[in-house]
Amino acid sequence: MAKKSITARWVLNTLCAIIFVLFCIIIVASVLFKEQYYEAVRVTLDSRATNVVLSYFSISNDNSDDTFNLRAKQFVEDFSDKSVMEVWVIDRSGNVVVSSSGFSVENEKYPDYAEARISDTGKATWVGRMSSGEKVMALSYMLPSSGDQNSGAVRYIISLSDIDSQLIRVILLMCFIAVVIIAFVTVSGLFFVRSIVRPVKKINETAIKIAKGDLSARIEDAGGDDEIGQLCESINNMAHEINESERMKNEFISTVSHELRTPLTAEKGWGETILEDPIKDEALTKRGLNVIISESERLTSLVEELLDFSRMENGNLTMRMSSMDVLAELDEAVFVFKDRSVREGKELLYNVSEVPAPMTGDPNRIKQVFVNILDNSFKYTEAGGTISVTAKAEKGFVTITIADTGCGIPSADLPYVTEKFYKANASVRGSGIGLAVVNEIVKRHNGTLSLNSIEGRGTTVTVVFPIQQTQQ
């Protein structure tokens, strides 16, 4: 058993505390039982000091020693409880005249007699051992006398051996019950502790595997609907999320590498072609330079997107707020994509009211939102498809809707498309961080971003910003 294990701490703390409490209960109960039994004996002895004694030793004119001895013998002979207790009669000199046992009482001490002589009640009790070693309780009762003259005493003696034996049996019974309780608590406690320790060990083993890079590790057969079971489920979910994040990160690295390599390859190829003979074919040279410029812009856009994502992750995504018109920025973004729609054979519909939509925001960032959403719509829409842009301003908000007739997003992927690195369609180029940056920009402008999509029919992206009310 490990010194610092939960089981060891439970045994040291809980079990030891229970044993200590039971030990204290046994001690207290033993003392109380002893006092109760001994008190019952005292009451029995005290009940003997009644008028029966007075009837034998009443005050009379004849108080001679012979008369006293005769009365003492008569009292002892008539005593009915000889089998229960022993009785002595003590004369005025303190000597035992007669005893119910018939044996000599020499060398016996009876301090209760001396105490009774000075007691106001004329009675005294003593617990001790006789010369034979037997433990007894004795009560001395002073006989009535005239004046200050001592008339003697009657002493009742009862053995405590049977009572002490009874007390020992009671204590042994309590000890047995305590052992049964301790055994039950130990068994049930160890069962309970192990029901916690076993899954904790599994959790620890799984956590070590995860820490070493085994993201496929799971806690098997955690069991139970209690807090331990919930913890195991949470750790399994955490491992799954980490595994998914790691997978998406690797896919992101692979995608970005591909996105960087493709334009670089095109630029390098056209650069080598132009370098071989830049004069012979002027049209080819011009075409190559256009490709290099286009791919350079694509690289710049990708790098800017990566930088924005890095700033967002570090909390350093800056916003240069100023008064602006949201629809003016939307108009500029749409204008950028008009040539692309013609070039790719896609229809771009634009329907926006002439009413201004003023707000406080970062114009470049707002334009970045629209450009990114439009770029996604164009990427996921085949030739012959349609991208429509509408906007309306009412009740202090402007709602911009960008809908396409592209491939759509599977319902299982839709809740995650704004998460970093997530790509619902790996076959289309893109880093998987664009919508994450867009969502952050919209939130920073107190706006909302929502997506609705039907797989195979298209996607609708709705952006809502709060705007300043304008006078009509």
Side-chain angles (χ1 to χ4, degrees):
M1 184 183 295
K3 290 184 178 180
K4 293 184 179 180
S5 68
I6 295 176
T7 306
R9 291 203 302 269
W10 178 83
V11 171
L12 182 63
N13 298 331
T14 306
L15 195 57
C16 288
I18 292 173
I19 293 173
F20 175 76
V21 170
L22 290 175
F23 178 74
C24 293
I25 291 174
I26 290 174
I27 291 177
V28 172
S30 300
V31 172
L32 291 176
F33 277 125
K34 180 181 177 181
E35 289 296 323
Q36 185 178 5
Y37 282 133
Y38 279 24
E39 182 61 26
V41 175
R42 288 190 188 94
V43 171
T44 301
L45 294 175
D46 191 58
S47 66
R48 301 299 173 185
T50 63
N51 293 330
V52 176
V53 176
L54 299 178
S55 65
Y56 284 91
F57 299 99
S58 60
I59 300 174
S60 65
N61 294 328
D62 187 4
N63 291 323
S64 64
D65 291 340
D66 292 338
T67 301
F68 181 84
N69 292 342
L70 182 63
R71 291 175 178 174
K73 290 178 181 179
Q74 186 64 41
F75 172 75
V76 171
E77 288 177 1
D78 294 343
F79 186 65
S80 61
D81 293 328
K82 294 186 183 70
S83 60
V84 177
M85 64 185 72
E86 185 177 353
V87 62
W88 296 356
V89 179
I90 303 172
D91 63 15
R92 61 177 57 91
S93 300
N95 299 317
V96 179
V97 176
V98 62
S99 73
S100 60
S101 65
F103 295 105
S104 173
V105 296
E106 294 180 359
N107 301 323
E108 294 290 351
K109 296 180 180 180
Y110 31 100
D112 50 302
Y113 169 70
E115 186 178 346
R117 292 186 61 181
I118 61 176
S119 173
D120 294 335
T121 61
K123 294 184 290 186
T125 305
W126 171 76
V127 176
R129 295 189 179 275
M130 304 288 283
S131 59
S132 62
E134 182 182 13
K135 187 178 181 181
V136 297
M137 180 183 288
L139 181 142
S140 291
Y141 176 69
M142 301 303 297
L143 298 176
S145 60
S146 57
D148 297 333
Q149 185 179 5
N150 179 15
S151 298
V154 175
R155 188 177 191 233
Y156 298 97
I157 305 167
I158 189 168
S159 175
L160 296 177
S161 299
D162 292 341
I163 293 173
D164 285 347
S165 298
Q166 181 68 19
L167 280 173
I168 291 173
R169 286 193 290 271
V170 171
I171 292 171
L172 289 175
L173 178 61
M174 289 191 294
C175 290
F176 174 75
I177 294 173
V179 170
V180 172
I181 292 173
I182 292 171
F184 175 77
V185 171
T186 301
V187 173
S188 61
L190 287 175
F191 177 79
F192 174 72
V193 169
R194 285 174 182 172
S195 70
I196 296 175
V197 170
R198 286 192 185 118
V200 167
K201 286 182 177 179
K202 291 182 180 179
I203 291 171
N204 183 53
E205 291 170 359
T206 304
I208 291 173
K209 290 179 181 177
I210 294 173
K212 290 181 178 180
D214 183 6
L215 298 180
S216 63
R218 297 292 184 271
I219 303 171
E220 301 295 340
D221 193 25
D225 294 328
D226 55 10
E227 290 82 354
I228 295 292
Q230 293 172 5
L231 176 61
C232 294
E233 185 178 353
S234 297
I235 291 176
N236 284 340
N237 290 337
M238 179 195 70
H240 174 73
E241 292 297 326
I242 293 174
N243 195 26
E244 284 298 303
S245 297
E246 188 71 14
R247 181 185 64 79
M248 287 191 293
K249 184 192 73 173
N250 292 335
E251 288 181 359
F252 168 75
I253 293 172
S254 176
T255 300
V256 170
S257 299
H258 175 74
E259 290 290 321
L260 291 172
R261 184 173 60 249
T262 300
L264 288 173
T265 302
E267 290 177 0
K268 180 183 178 183
W270 279 104
E272 290 174 347
T273 300
I274 295 170
L275 189 62
E276 286 178 1
D277 195 350
I279 300 173
K280 278 186 178 181
D281 193 339
E282 185 176 346
L284 183 64
T285 301
K286 186 176 181 180
R287 180 183 175 188
L289 292 175
N290 286 331
V291 170
I292 292 173
I293 292 171
S294 175
E295 294 301 322
S296 297
E297 290 175 351
R298 182 178 164 188
L299 279 175
T300 302
S301 177
L302 178 60
V303 170
E304 285 296 328
E305 193 175 72
L306 292 173
L307 288 174
D308 283 340
F309 176 74
S310 177
R311 296 187 191 104
M312 184 185 75
E313 288 291 283
N314 295 327
N316 297 325
L317 187 62
T318 58
M319 301 288 164
R320 293 181 174 84
M321 299 298 191
S322 63
S323 296
M324 57 166 286
D325 187 341
V326 182
L327 298 183
E329 299 305 322
L330 176 62
D331 188 71
E332 290 186 15
V334 172
F335 181 78
V336 171
F337 283 86
K338 283 184 177 179
D339 289 341
R340 180 173 173 180
S341 67
V342 175
R343 187 171 62 250
E344 296 181 2
K346 302 168 187 177
E347 186 177 10
L348 176 59
L349 302 179
Y350 182 49
N351 183 16
V352 176
S353 63
E354 299 294 332
V355 179
M359 65 174 285
T360 301
D362 186 331
N364 292 327
R365 294 297 184 188
I366 295 296
K367 184 177 179 181
Q368 180 182 351
V369 168
F370 300 140
V371 168
N372 195 291
I373 296 172
L374 284 166
D375 182 61
N376 283 341
S377 295
F378 273 86
K379 282 192 296 186
Y380 291 98
T381 301
E382 297 292 337
T386 302
I387 297 97
S388 62
V389 181
T390 60
K392 62 178 180 178
E394 58 181 6
K395 297 181 180 180
F397 292 91
V398 61
T399 303
I400 298 99
T401 304
I402 301 175
D404 63 59
T405 58
C407 60
I409 303 171
S411 57
D413 295 321
L414 195 58
Y416 309 105
V417 292
T418 57
E419 294 183 3
K420 58 185 180 181
F421 308 140
Y422 196 90
K423 287 187 67 178
N425 189 342
S427 63
V428 180
R429 64 179 179 83
S431 63
I433 61 175
L435 279 180
V437 175
V438 165
N439 192 40
E440 179 67 18
I441 294 172
V442 172
K443 286 182 179 178
R444 295 281 290 273
H445 285 82
N446 300 316
T448 59
L449 174 71
S450 60
L451 291 90
N452 293 302
S453 185
I454 300 176
E455 190 173 5
R457 294 181 60 183
T459 302
T460 301
V461 181
T462 304
V463 183
V464 179
F465 289 114
I467 59 173
Q468 301 165 6
Q469 296 283 5
T470 58
Q471 295 181 352
Q472 300 293 334

